[in-house]
Amino acid sequence: DLTWRYILHGKKYFTEKKIPKHDLSINFKHLFRNEEKTEFMPEINNIHIHLAKKRFSEIFPDVEPLTVKRSWSEYIDFLPDSLPIIDRHPIFKNIVIATGFSGSGLALGPAVGKLVSDILNNKPLNLDITKFKYRK
Ligand SMILES: Cc1cc2nc3c(=O)[nH]c(=O)nc-3n(C[C@H](O)[C@H](O)[C@H](O)COP(=O)(O)OP(=O)(O)OC[C@H]3O[C@@H](n4cnc5c(N)ncnc54)[C@H](O)[C@@H]3O)c2cc1C
């Protein structure tokens, strides 16, 4: 869903090679939505559901084609370099930011929770998270 914010920042994302650009489709319907005021669920894109079924059949040709019973959609939190930020806020040091998990945040939840807790408690970290530092 293209909004003004994406127009301002979107170009940063197009330098990232890992984003599968052939899978992108742009919806102009919500261009003027005020994202700060209205929480919003994106519309389900049936083209992508069809593509997912097709790809599944290509990968598993011996399996019966899938029937979709229910579908849902949401936005995926993504930063331009595809890496998350796990760091103290640059100004408000008692806030720790953990965001931008590029569609893998559920799996990473326990590890990230431990890191955030250790950062807040000034404990030594058991992982090197230099790459996840906040950068301007
Ligand atoms: C379709 C889809 C499929 C996915 N599949 C997987 C998967 O298979 N495996 C996997 O590991 N991950 C998956 N993910 C990614 C995973 O869901 C996210 O990475 C993870 O939920 C991010 O967690 P978070 O706590 O950073 O953010 P969120 O879960 O987005 O939590 C942020 C919270 O902050 C709240 N919030 C926002 N603004 C405000 C405000 N101003 N004031 C108060 N509250 C606010 C929101 O309501 C929300 O509850 C998927 C995501 C999507 C959309």
Side-chain angles (χ1 to χ4, degrees):
D1 289 312
L2 194 70
T3 61
W4 282 114
R5 193 166 60 100
Y6 291 113
I7 291 176
L8 286 177
H9 300 288
K11 65 175 187 300
K12 296 177 199 162
Y13 289 78
F14 276 88
T15 55
E16 173 53 56
K17 291 187 183 67
K18 280 184 236 153
I19 297 179
K21 294 173 192 78
H22 59 276
D23 270 359
L24 291 179
S25 49
I26 298 176
N27 181 0
F28 293 93
K29 267 202 283 185
H30 306 286
L31 197 57
F32 300 106
R33 175 169 69 88
N34 183 343
E35 291 163 280
E36 282 171 15
K37 288 210 172 128
T38 47
E39 195 154 353
F40 187 76
M41 296 291 277
E43 282 165 34
I44 292 167
N45 185 333
N46 285 310
I47 295 171
H48 286 275
I49 292 176
H50 173 75
L51 272 177
K53 279 169 63 180
K54 191 168 157 271
R55 284 178 189 159
F56 184 87
S57 298
E58 282 163 11
I59 297 168
F60 303 103
D62 300 333
V63 178
E64 224 175 278
L66 294 179
T67 321
V68 174
K69 284 194 176 167
R70 204 166 39 144
S71 51
W72 61 280
S73 65
E74 248 298 355
Y75 294 116
I76 286 192
D77 48 324
F78 228 95
L79 294 165
D81 58 3
S82 300
L83 294 174
I85 290 174
I86 306 173
D87 200 1
R88 283 188 190 272
H89 189 282
I91 298 166
F92 305 106
K93 299 288 181 193
N94 57 343
I95 293 177
V96 172
I97 299 169
T99 191
F101 295 105
S102 309
S104 303
L106 296 179
L108 295 169
V112 173
K114 169 89 171 77
L115 286 167
V116 169
S117 156
D118 288 346
I119 294 170
L120 281 170
N121 288 299
N122 292 312
K123 286 188 181 168
L125 306 183
N126 56 3
L127 288 172
D128 177 9
I129 56 165
T130 321
K131 283 189 174 171
F132 308 147
K133 289 224 162 288
Y134 173 84
R135 294 183 301 274
K136 256 199 171 169

